[in-house]
Amino acid sequence: MNDQAQDTGADDAPEQYLPEELAALAEGRAVRLRLVRHAETEHNINHLMQGWSDSPITERGHRQIEAVAQHLAAERFDLAFSSDLQRTRTTADGILAALDPKPPLEHLELLREWHFGAHEERPSADVWREVIVEHGFEVDRELSALRAIADQVGWRGLFDTIAQLDPTGQAEEAAATVMRADAALEHVVRAAGALERPAADEVHVLVVSHGGFITSLLRQLVPELTPDVILPNCSITTVSLAAGTTVWRLDGLGETADGSGPAA
């Protein structure tokens, strides 16, 4: 790891990997990560905070799974990882059902979405209004207020405010999520580097996770290329590492089976 911790919002934050240090864990292997967000859920369409809580996949969500599974069916995957929450497990199972051969699938708690503590399953609009008030803005100018707050304190500051407003103290602060993303990537990249395949072969890895957390993973790999966007349900984001290099490439962001991309 790097000698000095990157900025995680606290001077005594634990160390985290630099992108090139994560790349070195691949032991010189070429790696291609296909990061898939879970399918649409009832909480998504009802605009409820959905971190570690779960809700059923909608009918549209099941169609999304079928579409992304067909889209990826012709690809070879050597390894597969999924968050252990039900919405990601269902999405991963649907994708693997279309693959032949099927890679081994490992469920990781590390790949869960941000944890919102007592804010879980609350209307997201209510939570964001509280963030706006906490920063001294007018609630009736919600969108412009959130953009102004984000400009001032960044995405980490926004989510740290959510954590600070959780009376139970369970909500995850940004620094903790950064370190969890770091640990998840370490596990995945080490597994790719250790895979028993010809050294010249690119290792193809499927990772099924959550919209916010996939963005956290991207900020660990391609921080200068990670935009603040909403990744569509069942979208695919692709990051690759060429053999013998330590530079990750962002090859695709939030691409869906119908060819659409993320919302700004």
Side-chain angles (χ1 to χ4, degrees):
M1 287 192 179
N2 51 316
D3 293 333
Q4 288 188 320
Q6 295 181 19
D7 176 23
T8 57
D11 293 337
D12 58 350
E15 294 179 347
Q16 67 187 80
Y17 285 107
L18 294 169
E20 56 267 29
E21 292 172 326
L22 285 167
L25 300 178
E27 303 291 344
R29 301 291 298 271
V31 178
R32 188 172 190 240
L33 304 176
R34 297 283 251 169
L35 309 172
V36 179
R37 186 189 176 195
H38 64 80
E40 180 187 82
T41 69
E42 295 289 345
H43 281 4
N44 287 148
I45 63 175
N46 291 321
H47 305 291
L48 301 180
M49 298 294 284
Q50 183 180 219
W52 286 20
S53 59
D54 243 326
S55 72
I57 301 291
T58 64
E59 290 186 12
R60 180 169 182 259
H62 285 293
R63 294 195 297 270
Q64 291 171 340
I65 294 173
E66 292 177 4
V68 74
Q70 292 175 9
H71 186 72
L72 295 174
E75 297 192 20
R76 183 201 85 230
F77 287 100
D78 305 296
L79 297 168
F81 300 89
S82 169
S83 156
D84 64 342
L85 295 177
Q86 190 57 50
R87 59 192 185 273
T88 42
R89 294 169 73 108
T90 300
T91 303
D93 288 346
I95 294 172
L96 264 62
L99 298 178
D100 186 19
K102 295 177 176 59
L105 174 63
E106 183 177 356
H107 298 112
L108 295 176
E109 184 176 327
L110 288 170
L111 288 171
R112 288 185 179 188
E113 182 61 286
W114 289 68
H115 184 22
F116 296 117
H119 302 299
E120 295 275 343
E121 301 187 341
R122 291 185 61 204
S124 55
D126 291 352
V127 177
W128 289 118
R129 286 190 187 101
E130 291 175 9
V131 170
I132 290 168
V133 170
E134 183 71 11
H135 285 272
F137 284 81
E138 295 293 332
V139 173
D140 61 357
R141 297 174 62 244
E142 182 174 330
L143 185 59
S144 59
L146 283 175
R147 287 173 175 165
I149 295 168
D151 287 342
Q152 290 178 3
V153 300
W155 67 271
R156 291 180 180 178
L158 280 175
F159 285 96
D160 278 345
T161 303
I162 292 177
Q164 291 159 12
L165 292 171
D166 175 15
T168 68
Q170 298 177 72
E172 201 169 27
E173 292 187 348
T177 308
V178 166
M179 296 312 300
R180 186 156 59 82
D182 226 30
L185 287 167
E186 177 184 7
H187 184 89
V188 169
V189 178
R190 282 191 188 279
L195 193 67
E196 293 185 3
R197 289 186 62 86
D201 284 2
E202 183 177 54
V203 180
H204 291 206
V205 184
L206 173 69
V207 178
V208 183
S209 188
H210 307 262
F213 198 71
I214 290 174
T215 305
S216 295
L217 296 174
L218 291 177
R219 288 192 174 101
Q220 299 304 100
L221 298 175
V222 287
E224 71 285 355
L225 299 177
T226 306
D228 291 322
V229 296
I230 299 172
L231 296 173
N233 291 108
C234 270
S235 63
I236 306 166
T237 295
T238 307
V239 181
S240 62
L241 176 71
T245 71
T246 58
V247 178
W248 297 94
R249 300 191 308 264
L250 180 62
D251 298 327
L253 178 70
E255 299 172 338
T256 59
D258 64 7
S260 62

